[in-house]
Amino acid sequence: DAGITQSPRYKITETGRQVTLMCHQTWSHSYMFWYRQDLGHGLRLIYYSAAADITDKGEVPDGYVVSRSKTENFPLTLESATRSQTSVYFCASTKTTGGIKNIQYFGAGTRLSVL
Amino acid sequence: AQKITQTQPGMFVQEKEAVTLDCTYDTSDPSYGLFWYKQPSSGEMIFLIYQGSYDQQNATEGRYSLNFQKARKSANLVISASQLGDSAMYFCAIRTNFGNEKLTFGTGTRLTIIP
């Protein structure tokens, strides 16, 4: 059970470049999420998706674009990367486990550095 | 809007002792769920335990238990008989507005177990 796969694991880019982070889940579950983790802030929600073709903004959406044409994929694009977007990015999807509905499980994360 | 407060940035605990990690929350929604996640130095986010606002009993999962005090709006994580492998960041999170499944995270507590 691969669960949630993020790629790449590490990425270095330059300011102004477009970057796409990939997220793939094997559960065919509806909900998917993108978070960023920065020191002192915990995890903050960037975008989320309730189903294919349905997306909505989270707490910190500026500078990011998402799409979800297929249930299993939820890519996150930085259209013009800035240094403030240097962070660790986590993708998550929900799964019902042990009778608890929709627990969020996370991918391994992508560490992005914008120079 | 909901909020999670974790007031302990860091804690040092002797191996085999019990440890309590504090979490207080704020929400006006009568229906909510509280989650704890562990993030070891390798970076992945690991789901530990869940407590629903209407659950009659405190949640337990192996060495983890949740001290849920609804009137005080607190959901402290208790780890019994701590082990070196418990050294990690611990995040408390709340989910309200069932239907979009979003989580709001606290800033985390770094737990270090001393041999």
Side-chain angles (χ1 to χ4, degrees):
Chain A
D1 182 354
I4 303 171
T5 304
Q6 290 186 237
S7 61
R9 291 294 314 280
Y10 303 91
K11 177 73 177 178
I12 299 174
T13 191
E14 296 177 338
T15 55
R17 291 190 178 266
Q18 184 179 80
V19 177
T20 296
L21 310 184
M22 304 301 294
C23 180
H24 175 81
Q25 55 113 342
T26 59
W27 298 323
S28 298
H29 279 244
S30 295
Y31 286 96
M32 295 187 76
F33 306 83
W34 275 106
Y35 294 89
R36 61 177 288 172
Q37 183 178 22
D38 304 290
L39 200 62
H41 288 281
L43 277 77
R44 293 181 290 175
L45 183 65
I46 304 170
Y47 270 95
Y48 66 102
S49 170
D53 297 322
I54 301 175
T55 63
D56 207 348
K57 296 179 181 179
E59 182 185 352
V60 288
D62 293 345
Y64 302 96
V65 174
V66 293
S67 61
R68 195 165 176 208
S69 57
K70 293 183 178 181
T71 300
E72 60 268 29
N73 296 324
F74 190 38
L76 176 73
T77 298
L78 290 67
E79 292 192 304
S80 179
T82 65
R83 289 181 181 172
S84 64
Q85 292 177 309
T86 292
S87 187
V88 179
Y89 292 85
F90 285 98
C91 179
S93 183
T94 55
K95 185 179 180 185
T96 295
T97 302
I100 303 169
K101 290 184 179 180
N102 294 332
I103 297 171
Q104 284 192 28
Y105 289 91
F106 289 77
T110 295
R111 186 175 293 274
L112 176 68
S113 295
V114 183
L115 305 179
Chain B
Q2 53 278 353
K3 185 178 179 181
I4 292 285
T5 302
Q6 295 181 256
T7 57
Q8 307 153 311
M11 289 186 67
F12 291 84
V13 173
Q14 205 74 38
E15 188 181 8
K16 299 181 183 178
E17 290 185 351
V19 56
T20 298
L21 304 181
D22 294 342
C23 172
T24 58
Y25 59 91
D26 186 27
T27 180
S28 57
D29 195 325
S31 178
Y32 52 88
L34 294 154
F35 298 77
W36 278 92
Y37 285 85
K38 173 183 179 181
Q39 186 179 42
S41 58
S42 52
E44 71 267 34
M45 294 287 291
I46 302 168
F47 166 71
L48 293 179
I49 196 167
Y50 167 83
Q51 179 82 43
S53 59
Y54 294 121
D55 292 345
Q56 295 297 308
Q57 293 185 324
N58 287 347
T60 60
E61 192 68 49
R63 292 187 300 111
Y64 304 108
S65 61
L66 210 152
N67 184 2
F68 181 47
Q69 299 187 43
K70 196 171 183 177
R72 294 186 176 185
K73 293 191 173 181
S74 74
N76 299 338
L77 177 70
V78 180
I79 306 174
S80 63
S82 57
Q83 303 171 355
L84 296 178
D86 294 332
S87 294
M89 281 288 289
Y90 289 82
F91 292 96
C92 181
I94 188 169
R95 179 179 72 190
T96 62
N97 297 322
F98 286 96
N100 64 32
E101 310 299 334
K102 295 189 294 183
L103 290 179
T104 299
F105 284 85
T107 53
T109 296
R110 181 170 297 281
L111 176 65
T112 302
I113 306 299
I114 305 167

